[in-house]
Structures are given as C-alpha cells and as structure tokens.
C-alpha cells in the first residue's frame, strides 16, 4: 500500500514540475521577419585567383560588397555554376527596398606586390585605367576598368572606382590617406600610404590579370 502511495506522490510531483517548466519556458513565436534572401549564381571565369563580388541597384550604385577576395570554396559549387546568397541588406546591415538589382564581379589572379619603401614626394594619378583579360565565357570585347585605392580599419587595397575591393596591398598602419601613382610599366601601379608626415609606397605589378563576370539581374522581394 505504501509503495502505491509513494508512486502516486512521485508521479504527482513530476507532473507539477513539468507544468511549471512549461509556464517558465517561453513558447516559440513565429518569426516576424520574412526571408528576403536572393540566390545568385555565376559561372566563374577560367582563371586561377580570388573572387570579389558586389550587388548593385538599378542606378548602378554598389550597395553591398558580397564577397571580397573569396576562395572558390566559400561558394556553393553546383553542376555548372557557383552559388551564393544575398540577404537583401546593404553593407551597414540595413534592409534595402524591394526592386531590381544586379550582381557582378572580378576574378583576380595573384599579383606581384613589392616591398614597402618611403617616398618623400609621391605623385598621384588616381584612378588608373586598366585593360583586363577577356572572359571567354562572355560575348564581349576585352573590357576595361578604372582602379583606385581604398582603406579599411586594417588594410589598404586596390578597388574599382565604385568601391568594390579587389586585392589587399598592405597593412594600413597609421595611414590616413591612400592614393595611386604611375608604375614602371602600364601594367603596374604605385600605392602611396600617407599619415600626413611620411609616405610609404608599394609597387603592384600584373594589374591586368583579372577577368570580369556578370551575374545578371534579379528581383528583391
């Protein structure tokens, strides 16, 4: 008889604990934010290197650097294309309005980056007009692109004139300004990093070893 009473008390005690746990645990609420992600696919150009890919609005303005100097394994590899996703946000994590957007980028082969030296009188000529290697997968003539230089918190890099980073050149250090100058040949450029007192310079060769590619247009809901 005592065993029956003990078992009944134990079951009742467990039932009370379970009930209280349900009261304390917040019930899951349905997500109020719809999934706005867009699937972007492209056939990579036949060139060894790294991929920089940007998303552009209808006016051609760069709104998101989706990939910067990315390796192939950072994408989903399909049967005939590489795939990535865009969450519909800009670089500041703000939701962008619904509408038509496009994506395009560059496959950048390794470039020769020289050692840093000090230059007391840099001569800037930014931007630099570069003729790229033609992409055999696209029916267009050998394309051109205007290259300039940019800074982030850590590095200095070459970028397109609309702001898509292409290749990291050097550590930023204490530099507050970066500019370009003419190199020793049409396929090279000098990068000047200045802190207002001294200027470091780095020569970059092989600028033309890039192929452009286009991912087409798509709609953000």
């Amino acid at each position: 008889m005592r065993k029956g009473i003990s078992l009944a008390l134990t079951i009742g005690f467990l039932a009370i604990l379970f009930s209280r746990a349900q009261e304390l645990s917040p019930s899951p609420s349905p997500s109020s934010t719809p999934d706005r992600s867009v699937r972007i696919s492209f056939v990579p150009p036949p060139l060894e290197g790294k991929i920089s890919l940007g998303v552009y609005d209808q006016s051609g303005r760069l709104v998101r650097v989706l990939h910067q100097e990315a390796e192939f394994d950072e994408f989903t590899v399909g049967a005939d294309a590489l795939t990535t996703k865009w969450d519909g946000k800009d670089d500041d994590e703000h939701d962008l309005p619904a509408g038509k957007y496009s994506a395009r980028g560059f496959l950048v082969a390794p470039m020769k980056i020289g050692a840093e030296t000090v230059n007391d009188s840099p001569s800037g000529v930014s931007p630099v007009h570069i003729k790229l290697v033609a992409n055999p997968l696209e029916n267009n003539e050998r394309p051109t692109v205007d290259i300039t230089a940019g800074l982030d918190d850590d590095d200095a890099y070459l970028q397109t004139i609309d702001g898509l980073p292409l290749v990291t050149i050097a550590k930023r250090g204490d530099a507050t300004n970066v500019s370009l100058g003419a190199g020793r040949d049409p396929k090279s450029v000098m990068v000047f990093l200045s802190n207002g007192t001294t200027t470091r310079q780095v020569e970059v060769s092989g600028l033309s070893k890039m192929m452009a590619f286009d991912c087409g247009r798509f709609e953000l809901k």
Side-chain angles (χ1 to χ4, degrees):
M1 183 66 177
R2 288 181 178 177
K3 289 184 179 179
I5 294 173
S6 177
L7 180 60
L9 289 174
T10 301
I11 293 174
F13 181 67
L14 291 174
I16 292 171
L17 287 179
F18 180 73
S19 176
R20 288 182 176 177
Q22 285 187 317
E23 292 175 2
L24 294 173
S25 301
S27 56
S29 58
S31 174
S32 59
T33 304
D35 182 10
R36 305 181 73 217
S37 62
V38 177
R39 183 173 176 269
I40 300 173
S41 297
F42 62 96
V43 178
L47 183 71
E48 287 190 22
K50 296 182 179 181
I51 294 172
S52 288
L53 176 64
V55 177
Y56 298 79
D57 64 15
Q58 291 191 77
S59 68
R61 180 175 63 95
L62 178 67
V63 294
R64 177 70 175 272
V65 177
L66 199 56
H67 291 278
Q68 179 177 343
E69 299 177 72
E71 302 283 356
F72 275 60
D73 59 9
E74 295 180 42
F75 299 85
T76 300
V77 181
D80 56 0
L82 298 182
T83 301
T84 188
K85 282 187 176 181
W86 173 47
D87 58 8
K89 298 179 183 293
D90 63 14
D91 284 327
D92 295 321
E93 293 296 314
H94 298 143
D95 287 323
L96 288 168
K100 297 287 186 181
Y101 292 84
S102 62
R104 59 182 181 270
F106 297 86
L107 197 151
V108 183
M111 298 181 183
K112 183 179 179 181
I113 300 174
E116 289 188 12
T117 57
V118 176
N119 190 319
D120 295 328
S121 55
S123 177
V125 294
S126 184
V128 175
H129 195 63
I130 300 296
K131 184 171 285 189
L132 306 180
V133 179
N135 185 348
L137 303 178
E138 298 185 0
N139 286 325
N140 55 14
E141 297 180 358
R142 188 174 177 182
T144 58
V145 64
D146 287 330
I147 299 294
T148 184
L151 293 170
D152 61 21
D153 291 340
D154 301 311
D155 302 306
Y157 46 81
L158 296 181
Q159 63 180 20
T160 60
I161 197 169
D162 56 18
L164 180 65
L166 298 173
V167 57
T168 299
I169 300 304
K171 288 296 181 183
R172 174 173 181 164
D174 61 354
T176 56
N177 180 63
V178 61
S179 60
L180 295 185
R184 287 179 285 185
D185 61 64
K187 296 181 180 179
S188 67
V189 68
M190 301 300 298
V191 180
F192 302 112
L193 297 101
S194 174
N195 62 7
T197 303
T198 59
T199 299
R200 296 176 285 143
Q201 71 174 31
V202 181
E203 185 172 27
V204 184
S205 304
L207 288 180
S208 64
K209 294 191 296 183
M210 292 187 281
M211 284 187 182
F213 62 90
D214 196 330
C215 304
R217 299 181 66 81
F218 45 83
E219 186 171 0
L220 177 66
K221 300 292 187 179

